[in-house]
Amino acid sequence: MGLLADQNSEKCLICQTEKSRKVHEPGLDGIKYSCEYCGDYTISRTAFTVIDSNQNIAEEFLNKAPFLAAERKLQGKGPFMINAGEHSRPWVDERDFLNDFPEDFEEKVQRSLLNIFKSFKPLQSYWCTEDDKCLFFETEDEDAMAVVSALESLGYIKVSNRVLNGLHFGLTLTFDGWKAARELNAQIERRFQVFVAMWFDKETEAYREATREALKLAGYEASIVNEVKHNEFIMNKVLNMIKESRFVIADFSCTDEKIEGGKVKNGVRGGVYYEAGYAKGLGLEVIHTCNKDAFEKRLHFDVQQKNTIVWEKDGDIIKTWGQDYIEYLKEHIIATVGKGPR
């Protein structure tokens, strides 16, 4: 029995609030909750075991998950499922979920401002309590107040009537704070393009069109470099397209090398690895895909450790684990990134 198993199973597993309920769903291989703060979510039994069996991961989950789940709910991302490698339905992998936690204090301040923007109307005073700590990505009162003080010093909020013990104070989103948050939110939401890094070959044409359709159904538009007219050096164009994208889909499909005219053809797509790494370095979400044959024979060890959507052709249809690839990818995008603006 680990830290998760020690939690009150009838309360929200993530934040342990009583303002939640455990949902009993026949045949579900997991535990489903509906929480006022974290939203609707399911944790698979495999993910529960993986997290609970490692004290460090369990502590990280209990420290970070309440803030990440509350943020997802404020962003309107909808129900989600925390998995640990299962492929039966779209998932949010437990490691990817926790890795989305703000990397530094500046990012905490920016994302806290967006949380306030989505929670409160501007120029109106609200009373904040311990229940609102999830807005600030900090478990300790003193650390949460440091984020609050930073927002106040920037002129984005006004704080009043603070109680010395605990997190209790009046908060008002200022007009400057509302403008800053609206612009920051708009910068995120108007990014509807998604860069697709892939091998351009007749073998991947069906994959490309299926991915384009899945993105369209999820509210996004595929950005594929060989379909864009430009006068730039090709890699400059690629890097600019990645910078302008909401997230990236990287397909690591490839075939065996062969020699033609004294040159090596095909083989592992080094460009896809580079583009995926570049996007990750920018802090963008990167969804990995790969055809079944390359996944089993050619995918690099370092990349194999990241959850990958494995696809294969079934006639003219692309399937993933026996399911329709288009529908699967659409649901996966909505679950991990959110519905697009289109």
Side-chain angles (χ1 to χ4, degrees):
M1 295 259 296
L3 292 176
L4 289 194
D6 289 341
Q7 301 286 85
N8 186 326
S9 64
E10 294 303 317
K11 293 182 180 179
C12 172
L13 181 70
I14 290 177
C15 72
Q16 281 292 283
T17 181
E18 293 182 354
K19 297 180 179 179
S20 65
R21 61 188 177 90
K22 192 174 181 181
V23 181
H24 298 277
E25 188 174 303
L28 178 67
D29 185 25
I31 312 166
K32 190 172 184 178
Y33 292 89
S34 181
C35 175
E36 181 177 322
Y37 302 112
C38 301
D40 297 334
Y41 67 94
T42 302
I43 182 167
S44 71
R45 298 195 184 281
T46 301
F48 185 97
T49 301
V50 167
I51 297 169
D52 196 49
S53 62
N54 185 307
Q55 183 171 343
N56 291 332
I57 296 177
E59 288 178 350
E60 183 183 11
F61 181 85
L62 293 174
N63 286 332
K64 294 180 177 180
F67 307 107
L68 296 169
E71 184 183 47
R72 284 182 60 92
K73 185 173 184 292
L74 288 172
Q75 291 173 347
K77 288 187 175 180
F80 64 102
M81 182 174 187
I82 302 172
N83 278 6
E86 304 101 314
H87 306 307
S88 59
R89 57 189 290 185
W91 72 90
V92 178
D93 182 70
E94 48 89 16
R95 178 44 46 196
D96 290 340
F97 178 62
L98 296 178
N99 283 345
D100 192 41
F101 196 77
E103 292 186 358
D104 53 34
F105 185 74
E106 182 180 5
E107 187 179 352
K108 285 180 182 178
V109 171
Q110 287 186 334
R111 286 168 64 174
S112 294
L113 176 62
L114 285 175
N115 287 342
I116 293 169
F117 173 73
K118 292 176 182 294
S119 300
F120 307 133
K121 294 180 180 179
L123 307 180
Q124 294 186 24
S125 182
Y126 295 87
W127 187 249
C128 287
T129 67
E130 293 287 337
D131 290 339
D132 298 303
K133 196 183 291 184
C134 60
L135 299 175
F136 306 112
F137 299 97
E138 295 288 2
T139 56
E140 299 297 327
D141 293 344
E142 185 177 347
D143 295 331
M145 286 308 301
V147 176
V148 171
S149 296
L151 290 167
E152 186 178 28
S153 67
L154 290 167
Y156 292 160
I157 63 173
K158 286 185 178 179
V159 175
S160 60
N161 302 321
R162 187 192 170 189
V163 177
L164 290 179
N165 295 321
L167 197 75
H168 300 278
F169 60 91
L171 182 149
T172 302
L173 178 63
T174 66
F175 184 63
D176 285 343
W178 177 81
K179 285 197 302 181
R182 185 181 65 166
E183 178 56 31
L184 186 60
N185 190 60
Q187 288 176 12
I188 296 170
E189 290 190 347
R190 65 172 166 251
R191 286 186 178 183
F192 59 86
Q193 294 186 36
V194 177
F195 185 82
V196 181
M198 60 177 292
W199 173 36
F200 302 115
D201 187 83
K202 64 180 181 179
E203 292 293 324
T204 57
E205 286 178 359
Y207 163 84
R208 173 167 55 181
E209 294 312 309
T211 300
R212 190 197 311 278
E213 181 63 19
L215 284 166
K216 182 179 177 181
L217 292 173
Y220 297 96
E221 181 178 298
S223 180
I224 303 174
V225 69
N226 76 335
E227 297 177 351
V228 178
K229 295 180 181 179
H230 62 89
N231 296 315
E232 301 176 52
F233 173 59
I234 185 64
M235 279 312 299
N236 287 343
K237 184 61 181 176
V238 165
L239 299 184
N240 286 335
M241 289 171 71
I242 292 173
K243 288 178 183 177
E244 294 167 357
S245 295
R246 179 73 177 273
F247 61 96
V248 168
I249 295 177
D251 184 66
F252 296 91
S253 302
C254 61
T255 56
D256 294 340
E257 296 92 343
K258 61 181 179 179
I259 305 296
E260 285 186 3
K263 293 184 178 181
V264 177
K265 298 286 187 179
N266 300 335
V268 172
R269 315 312 297 172
V272 173
Y273 284 83
Y274 178 83
E275 290 153 16
Y278 181 75
K280 198 65 180 174
L282 291 175
L284 298 179
E285 182 76 30
V286 181
I287 296 174
H288 289 198
T289 66
C290 187
N291 71 4
K292 188 169 185 259
D293 185 66
F295 179 79
E296 294 173 347
K297 299 177 182 178
R298 311 285 297 172
L299 196 62
H300 194 277
F301 171 78
D302 291 339
V303 177
Q304 279 185 331
Q305 298 180 68
K306 164 121 176 133
N307 272 325
T308 301
I309 298 174
V310 181
W311 60 270
E312 59 184 330
K313 284 184 180 178
D314 184 3
D316 294 329
I317 300 172
I318 303 293
K319 294 283 188 74
T320 181
W321 300 299
Q323 303 174 60
D324 179 66
Y325 168 81
I326 293 174
E327 182 65 19
Y328 188 96
L329 180 60
K330 180 199 79 172
E331 293 298 329
H332 181 73
I333 290 168
I334 293 173
T336 55
V337 184
K339 190 82 169 66
R342 301 206 130 184

